[in-house]
Amino acid sequence: MTDIKALLLDALKAGDAKRSRSTQVQIGPSELGGCRRKVWYRLNDQPETNDNELKLAAIMGTAIHAEIEKALSDNADVMLETEVEYNGMKAHIDCFVPSTGDVIDWKTSKIKNLGYFPSTQQRWQVQVYGYLLTKNGYKVERVSLVAIARDGDERDVKVHTEEYNEAMALEALNWLSAIKESADAPAPEKDESYCKFYCKYYDASGQMGCVGLKKERTAVSSVLIEDAEVDKNALFFLQLTTQIKDLEKQQDSLRASFEGLLGVTASGIELSWTTVAGRSTVDDKEVEKLLGFVPKKVGAESFRLNIKPSGGK
């Protein structure tokens, strides 16, 4: 019997491996602002050690990019996939409109991730595109990032536009220069639960690649996350958590005022109560009496986020 899943995924991954960007040796703008250790490994020809890297989302993103390029191919007002290079940095610009000086980069995402789009890394990337274009004689006015949700529709397309800022582009390039000058690999920056699925240099043994961070072997308080955007999002997350708890308390207190009521209020709000059956569970003790043991089925591994105030650094 044909293993259809393997047939599909093997073909997609093989096709992705042949793409020019997959085989590109130079560091590209999309990597600026990412994991310093991963970039250092790339710069120093570190062998890839992770055969289980998940790539389907990136492959889908590439397919969407190709469709957009095809759809715009007859538009004489835009330049598509323009290759530019300056001082060792090469890039392929998704879309550039010379007449208006607009640089456009397409991004694929999930709807749930649109709330914090774009990231600093994405803004660095498109600003560096603008920088490279200016160094190649083009006039750049604005840069834009367009998020296309893989699980959404036309209503979910999100556009972020900002003025071209050479200082931001240079900040990104200086970030790369600092890594190039480092004799040793920077410390891991991502949790192991992320690295083992999304980093080509992840190595559980730690003999050649990176093991990532793990709470069991790394004191959380000893790792400083320097990204100001992450700090802002974490503070907002805690604020929302507190608000949700307060709202749940208010909701529970209001619930008591509805006890025994059934009907419609003057505002047209229906109130009624429904009997819900209790949860049915297996009696482990009885099963053990009958079988001598209790069969267990272990579900798929999942990861729980823990966020709490620590006093800061």
Side-chain angles (χ1 to χ4, degrees):
M1 179 177 176
T2 301
D3 186 336
I4 299 173
K5 183 176 180 179
L7 176 71
L8 170 67
L9 296 181
D10 289 348
L12 288 174
K13 289 181 179 180
D16 180 67
K18 296 175 183 176
R19 292 191 309 112
S20 59
R21 293 193 193 185
S22 296
T23 57
Q24 182 175 312
V25 176
Q26 292 172 290
I27 298 296
S30 64
E31 296 171 88
L32 304 180
C35 175
R36 291 177 177 85
R37 190 179 182 93
K38 183 177 181 179
V39 170
W40 190 92
Y41 278 156
R42 288 258 286 120
L43 290 167
N44 290 273
D45 299 321
Q46 175 80 8
E48 297 179 11
T49 50
N50 189 3
D51 294 328
N52 299 313
E53 185 184 5
L54 301 182
K55 298 182 178 180
L56 185 57
I59 293 170
M60 291 171 66
T62 300
I64 291 173
H65 274 70
E67 276 301 306
I68 295 173
E69 183 181 1
K70 188 195 304 180
L72 289 171
S73 61
D74 293 332
N75 190 329
D77 295 327
V78 301
M79 296 168 55
L80 303 172
E81 287 296 323
T82 304
E83 182 177 301
V84 287
E85 185 170 4
Y86 178 76
N87 199 24
M89 174 64 68
K90 179 191 290 186
H92 293 82
I93 317 297
D94 285 350
C95 183
F96 178 56
V97 188
S99 61
T100 61
D102 284 298
V103 181
I104 307 169
D105 191 55
W106 317 113
K107 295 294 181 190
T108 53
S109 178
K110 290 183 178 179
I111 290 178
K112 70 175 184 179
N113 296 335
L114 294 178
Y116 54 86
F117 172 86
S119 66
T120 298
Q121 183 177 354
Q122 291 167 334
R123 291 177 62 209
W124 273 13
Q125 178 186 355
V126 75
Q127 288 287 358
V128 170
Y129 285 163
Y131 177 79
L132 295 176
L133 281 165
T134 61
K135 292 301 181 182
N136 280 268
Y138 297 98
K139 184 173 176 57
V140 175
E141 297 289 347
R142 289 164 298 275
V143 297
S144 294
L145 290 151
V146 182
I148 303 162
R150 295 186 298 272
D151 55 344
D153 56 37
E154 292 90 336
R155 295 167 295 179
D156 302 305
V157 174
K158 185 174 180 178
V159 179
H160 169 85
T161 300
E162 60 188 54
E163 297 297 311
Y164 166 60
N165 185 339
E166 182 177 299
M168 182 177 284
L170 292 175
E171 181 184 1
L173 294 172
N174 289 336
W175 178 91
L176 178 60
S177 296
I179 297 174
K180 288 180 177 180
E181 293 169 3
S182 177
D184 301 314
E189 297 179 13
K190 298 284 189 180
D191 189 82
E192 180 191 40
S193 61
Y194 177 89
C195 298
K196 68 181 182 180
F197 293 125
Y198 299 107
C199 181
K200 63 183 71 177
Y201 301 112
Y202 174 74
D203 177 13
S205 70
Q207 295 177 356
M208 183 177 295
C210 179
V211 296
L213 295 170
K214 195 168 186 178
K215 187 176 181 180
E216 288 77 6
R217 58 171 177 260
T218 306
V220 177
S221 59
S222 69
V223 182
L224 176 62
I225 301 173
E226 298 178 359
D227 192 327
E229 188 174 21
V230 172
D231 185 41
K232 180 189 72 174
N233 289 342
L235 288 169
F236 187 45
F237 187 96
L238 287 175
Q239 291 171 3
L240 289 175
T241 300
T242 300
Q243 291 174 24
I244 289 169
K245 288 180 179 178
D246 290 341
L247 289 171
E248 286 177 341
K249 287 180 182 178
Q250 292 180 46
Q251 191 178 51
D252 286 340
S253 66
L254 291 171
R255 189 190 305 274
S257 70
F258 304 138
E259 289 182 358
L261 298 179
L262 184 148
V264 182
T265 71
S267 300
I269 301 172
E270 290 187 5
L271 297 177
S272 64
W273 292 83
T274 303
T275 300
V276 181
R279 183 182 177 186
S280 178
T281 59
V282 175
D283 188 330
D284 288 353
K285 291 183 179 179
E286 288 299 316
V287 171
E288 190 168 10
K289 284 181 184 179
L290 294 170
L291 300 180
F293 69 97
V294 179
K296 298 290 183 180
K297 182 178 180 180
V298 180
E301 186 180 60
S302 62
F303 304 100
R304 183 176 62 188
L305 174 66
N306 298 295
I307 294 185
K308 61 181 181 180
S310 66
K313 285 282 187 178

